[in-house]
Short mmCIF file of all heavy atoms in Angstrom, two decimals:
data_model
loop_
_atom_site.label_atom_id
_atom_site.label_comp_id
_atom_site.label_asym_id
_atom_site.label_seq_id
_atom_site.Cartn_x
_atom_site.Cartn_y
_atom_site.Cartn_z
N HIS A 953 42.94 -9.84 -70.94
CA HIS A 953 43.90 -10.90 -71.52
C HIS A 953 44.25 -11.90 -70.47
O HIS A 953 45.07 -12.79 -70.64
CB HIS A 953 45.20 -10.13 -71.95
CG HIS A 953 44.98 -9.32 -73.07
ND1 HIS A 953 44.73 -9.74 -74.37
CD2 HIS A 953 44.93 -7.89 -73.13
CE1 HIS A 953 44.51 -8.61 -75.16
NE2 HIS A 953 44.65 -7.55 -74.47
N CYS A 954 43.51 -11.96 -69.37
CA CYS A 954 43.73 -13.03 -68.38
C CYS A 954 42.96 -14.41 -68.85
O CYS A 954 42.12 -14.23 -69.76
CB CYS A 954 43.42 -12.68 -67.05
SG CYS A 954 41.68 -12.68 -66.56
N ALA A 955 43.15 -15.40 -68.12
CA ALA A 955 42.59 -16.71 -68.59
C ALA A 955 41.16 -16.92 -68.04
O ALA A 955 40.56 -17.98 -68.31
CB ALA A 955 43.46 -17.83 -68.05
N ILE A 956 40.65 -15.94 -67.41
CA ILE A 956 39.19 -16.09 -66.87
C ILE A 956 38.27 -15.94 -68.05
O ILE A 956 38.39 -14.98 -68.81
CB ILE A 956 38.97 -15.05 -65.79
CG1 ILE A 956 39.90 -15.25 -64.61
CG2 ILE A 956 37.47 -15.04 -65.45
CD1 ILE A 956 39.84 -14.16 -63.55
N ALA A 957 37.31 -16.87 -68.25
CA ALA A 957 36.48 -16.92 -69.36
C ALA A 957 35.18 -16.06 -69.11
O ALA A 957 34.87 -15.63 -67.94
CB ALA A 957 36.00 -18.37 -69.61
N ASN A 958 34.46 -15.85 -70.19
CA ASN A 958 33.11 -15.25 -70.17
C ASN A 958 33.14 -13.89 -69.54
O ASN A 958 32.22 -13.45 -68.85
CB ASN A 958 32.07 -16.14 -69.40
CG ASN A 958 31.96 -17.47 -70.13
OD1 ASN A 958 31.93 -17.49 -71.37
ND2 ASN A 958 32.01 -18.48 -69.30
N LYS A 959 34.17 -13.00 -69.84
CA LYS A 959 34.28 -11.68 -69.35
C LYS A 959 33.35 -10.72 -70.10
O LYS A 959 32.96 -9.65 -69.57
CB LYS A 959 35.69 -11.23 -69.38
CG LYS A 959 36.69 -12.00 -68.58
CD LYS A 959 38.01 -11.49 -68.62
CE LYS A 959 38.72 -11.75 -69.93
NZ LYS A 959 39.32 -13.05 -70.06
N ARG A 960 33.19 -10.96 -71.33
CA ARG A 960 32.43 -10.08 -72.14
C ARG A 960 30.92 -10.48 -72.23
O ARG A 960 30.78 -11.66 -72.33
CB ARG A 960 33.09 -10.01 -73.50
CG ARG A 960 34.40 -9.31 -73.49
CD ARG A 960 34.99 -9.15 -74.86
NE ARG A 960 36.20 -8.44 -74.80
CZ ARG A 960 36.31 -7.17 -75.11
NH1 ARG A 960 35.22 -6.44 -75.46
NH2 ARG A 960 37.39 -6.53 -74.96
N PRO A 961 30.02 -9.61 -72.21
CA PRO A 961 30.11 -8.15 -72.32
C PRO A 961 30.25 -7.42 -71.02
O PRO A 961 29.89 -6.24 -70.98
CB PRO A 961 28.79 -7.85 -73.00
CG PRO A 961 27.83 -8.83 -72.42
CD PRO A 961 28.61 -10.10 -72.26
N TRP A 962 30.65 -8.06 -70.01
CA TRP A 962 30.61 -7.47 -68.65
C TRP A 962 32.02 -6.90 -68.23
O TRP A 962 32.22 -6.56 -67.02
CB TRP A 962 30.16 -8.48 -67.50
CG TRP A 962 28.76 -8.89 -67.95
CD1 TRP A 962 27.57 -8.26 -67.78
CD2 TRP A 962 28.50 -10.29 -68.47
NE1 TRP A 962 26.58 -9.05 -68.31
CE2 TRP A 962 27.14 -10.37 -68.65
CE3 TRP A 962 29.24 -11.37 -68.73
CZ2 TRP A 962 26.45 -11.46 -69.17
CZ3 TRP A 962 28.67 -12.50 -69.24
CH2 TRP A 962 27.26 -12.52 -69.47
N LEU A 963 32.90 -6.80 -69.11
CA LEU A 963 34.29 -6.41 -68.76
C LEU A 963 34.35 -5.09 -67.98
O LEU A 963 35.06 -5.01 -67.03
CB LEU A 963 35.19 -6.30 -69.98
CG LEU A 963 36.59 -6.02 -69.90
CD1 LEU A 963 37.27 -7.11 -69.08
CD2 LEU A 963 37.26 -5.73 -71.28
N ASP A 964 33.56 -4.08 -68.36
CA ASP A 964 33.51 -2.85 -67.69
C ASP A 964 32.99 -2.97 -66.23
O ASP A 964 33.53 -2.41 -65.31
CB ASP A 964 32.73 -1.76 -68.43
CG ASP A 964 31.35 -2.20 -68.86
OD1 ASP A 964 30.97 -3.45 -68.59
OD2 ASP A 964 30.47 -1.37 -69.16
N GLN A 965 31.90 -3.77 -66.14
CA GLN A 965 31.30 -3.93 -64.78
C GLN A 965 32.26 -4.79 -63.82
O GLN A 965 32.33 -4.50 -62.59
CB GLN A 965 29.98 -4.60 -64.85
CG GLN A 965 28.93 -3.74 -65.47
CD GLN A 965 27.66 -4.47 -65.52
OE1 GLN A 965 27.44 -5.38 -66.30
NE2 GLN A 965 26.70 -4.07 -64.80
N ILE A 966 32.95 -5.70 -64.42
CA ILE A 966 33.87 -6.57 -63.60
C ILE A 966 35.11 -5.72 -63.19
O ILE A 966 35.44 -5.78 -61.91
CB ILE A 966 34.32 -7.78 -64.37
CG1 ILE A 966 33.18 -8.67 -64.82
CG2 ILE A 966 35.46 -8.56 -63.62
CD1 ILE A 966 33.66 -9.65 -65.93
N THR A 967 35.61 -4.89 -64.04
CA THR A 967 36.81 -4.19 -63.75
C THR A 967 36.64 -2.90 -62.98
O THR A 967 37.57 -2.39 -62.45
CB THR A 967 37.69 -3.95 -65.07
OG1 THR A 967 36.84 -3.19 -65.99
CG2 THR A 967 38.18 -5.22 -65.65
N LEU A 968 35.39 -2.43 -62.95
CA LEU A 968 35.15 -1.24 -62.11
C LEU A 968 35.54 -1.54 -60.64
O LEU A 968 36.33 -0.71 -60.08
CB LEU A 968 33.72 -0.76 -62.20
CG LEU A 968 33.20 0.37 -61.35
CD1 LEU A 968 34.17 1.64 -61.61
CD2 LEU A 968 31.79 0.74 -61.73
#
Side-chain angles (χ1 to χ4, degrees):
H953 295 288
C954 77
I956 296 173
N958 301 316
K959 297 180 288 278
R960 291 181 175 263
W962 305 286
L963 185 64
D964 55 347
Q965 289 179 291
I966 299 165
T967 57
L968 175 53

